[in-house]
Amino acid sequence: MPTLLPPQTEFKSSDLSRASAEVFAAASDHPVTVTRRDGESLVLMTDSHDQARRKLLELAAQLIAAATDSNGTLAERMTKLFPWMLALTEEDRNTCAQQILDAARASFSTEQPHLAIAELTSWRETATAIAAGLHSTEVEWFDEMPAVERPRLSRPST
């Protein structure tokens, strides 16, 4: 029975010249450490992974500022940092603040930046839609997915 091996996360600097395709393929999936005998190890990662880390650190700085301020509720403090939250109801601002904070904790503890960034983006897009007047539309939630026919392509007549 085949076993799933963990992805390789460490390479020797000589692997960059001998097996560069393997090193770059691994770095495309996750950050890899390149160890060197004559210096400090290097980390090789994709630009998108680096940007996600930067966004998470930026969010962390903002959340720390909001959490350590003593004026007002968490939602009120976060609204100063994220003015788009003003489009939400007071109840939704409270929920938003807590869910963003919880997602940031999950991101840091699992090293998965996308969790916090997705939560923040989701709430911002919701606030944007509400501000655009899309909140007046009734949303119908389905308990079971209805069957939908496959669309037919109509061909233009010539």
Side-chain angles (χ1 to χ4, degrees), residues 131-154:
L134 300 176
H135 66 285
S136 60
T137 305
E138 286 288 323
V139 176
E140 181 181 348
W141 296 98
F142 296 109
D143 292 327
E144 294 180 26
M145 294 297 296
V148 178
E149 288 185 35
R150 183 180 183 96
R152 297 178 195 199
L153 297 176
S154 60

Side-chain angles (χ1 to χ4, degrees), residues 1-7:
M1 175 181 259
T3 59
L4 295 176
L5 298 174

Side-chain angles (χ1 to χ4, degrees), residues 7-154:
Q8 186 170 358
T9 59
E10 192 169 304
F11 293 89
K12 296 177 184 171
S13 60
S14 59
D15 292 333
L16 283 174
S17 59
R18 281 188 268 170
S20 60
E22 182 182 346
V23 175
F24 290 131
S28 293
D29 292 335
H30 52 80
V32 297
T33 302
V34 178
T35 59
R36 303 182 310 164
R37 286 181 292 171
D38 60 345
E40 187 176 0
S41 295
L42 302 172
V43 176
L44 182 63
M45 68 179 74
T46 62
D47 185 52
S48 61
H49 193 91
D50 182 48
Q51 286 178 15
R53 284 181 170 207
R54 288 174 192 242
K55 285 182 183 179
L56 183 60
L57 287 174
E58 182 181 313
L59 176 59
Q62 293 170 322
L63 292 177
I64 289 169
T68 57
D69 189 351
S70 59
N71 298 325
T73 66
L74 176 63
E76 291 168 344
R77 296 185 309 252
M78 285 181 64
T79 300
K80 291 177 189 174
L81 296 170
F82 307 118
W84 50 261
M85 287 177 64
L86 292 169
L88 303 171
T89 65
E90 184 177 350
E91 180 182 347
D92 284 344
R93 283 194 296 269
N94 290 326
T95 302
C96 171
Q98 191 59 55
Q99 288 182 353
I100 290 172
L101 198 58
D102 292 345
R105 286 182 185 139
S107 283
F108 278 110
S109 65
T110 61
E111 297 182 17
Q112 299 295 317
H114 68 277
L115 300 173
I117 294 166
E119 190 70 31
L120 181 68
T121 302
S122 177
W123 275 106
R124 186 177 57 239
E125 293 299 324
T126 298
T128 301
I130 290 169
L134 300 176
H135 66 285
S136 60
T137 305
E138 286 288 323
V139 176
E140 181 181 348
W141 296 98
F142 296 109
D143 292 327
E144 294 180 26
M145 294 297 296
V148 178
E149 288 185 35
R150 183 180 183 96
R152 297 178 195 199
L153 297 176
S154 60

